[in-house]
Amino acid sequence: MFEKPEANQANRDYLIDLLKDRGVSHLVLVTKQRDNAYFKLTNGSTGTGQLEGLGFYIDDTTLLRGTESSISSRGMLGPFAYVKARLLDARTLAPVGEVKSNQSSIVVRPSSEASGMEIWDTMDSAEKVDLINSLLRDAVKAAMAPLLAK
């Protein structure tokens, strides 16, 4: 609806009509966005390919070593939240501003059979949801100040 406005004019007109008598001047829209995989390490970064939206990146090959110990792990789980926040004029849905915000983290669990899949398999659903929710909150929070300054 916002990437290809001309193909979604009926939906756009409907949304404009919904907002017009409600005293709304602007609309903040948060959607998924696509970007390069990026996971910060102490000395550099890792990640290959493209990621989009919310999810988990599973890496079974990267060798990671703890900075405070000599414990190492082959593989990691990388939860991520890649979002685009847009500020729109509610009367026209014209874009006023746009900010991309990518948040990611690394989960490692050193063991003799460490791998990204092993980490995934040993995490419970609640822990996975908490990781994604936390990254999504951080991504939206990071986007709001620069977006609303526009």
Side-chain angles (χ1 to χ4, degrees):
M1 192 160 115
F2 296 94
E3 298 294 331
K4 298 179 182 176
E6 62 285 346
N8 293 282
Q9 194 58 51
N11 291 330
R12 292 173 62 84
D13 291 343
Y14 178 74
L15 181 56
I16 290 169
D17 191 52
L18 279 177
L19 299 173
K20 73 178 178 183
D21 295 327
R22 299 180 190 255
V24 176
S25 65
H26 291 83
L27 178 68
V28 173
L29 176 69
V30 178
T31 59
K32 64 184 179 178
Q33 71 113 359
R34 187 175 181 89
D35 208 342
N36 293 325
Y38 177 85
F39 297 91
K40 185 167 178 29
L41 301 172
T42 303
N43 296 316
S45 65
T46 189
T48 58
Q50 297 266 301
L51 302 176
E52 182 175 22
L54 308 174
F56 291 88
Y57 177 92
I58 297 175
D59 178 336
D60 284 335
T61 61
T62 301
L63 180 61
L64 302 169
R65 185 175 311 276
T67 56
E68 297 177 13
S69 69
S70 61
I71 298 172
S72 64
S73 171
R74 180 164 304 281
M76 62 164 221
L77 181 69
F80 63 89
Y82 283 19
V83 301
K84 181 187 305 181
R86 292 184 179 114
L87 182 63
L88 305 170
D89 182 313
R91 294 165 301 182
T92 63
L93 299 183
V96 176
E98 176 179 293
V99 174
K100 294 178 180 179
S101 180
N102 296 344
Q103 297 289 319
S104 62
S105 65
I106 294 175
V107 178
V108 294
R109 297 209 172 132
S111 74
S112 58
E113 289 97 35
S115 73
M117 277 310 299
E118 185 243 348
I119 297 166
W120 173 261
D121 290 340
T122 59
M123 289 179 85
D124 65 37
S125 296
E127 190 175 2
K128 293 171 186 171
V129 169
D130 288 345
L131 282 169
I132 291 293
N133 280 338
S134 177
L135 289 170
L136 179 57
R137 277 191 303 272
D138 291 348
V140 171
K141 183 178 178 181
M144 285 302 103
L147 181 67
L148 297 177
K150 297 186 182 249

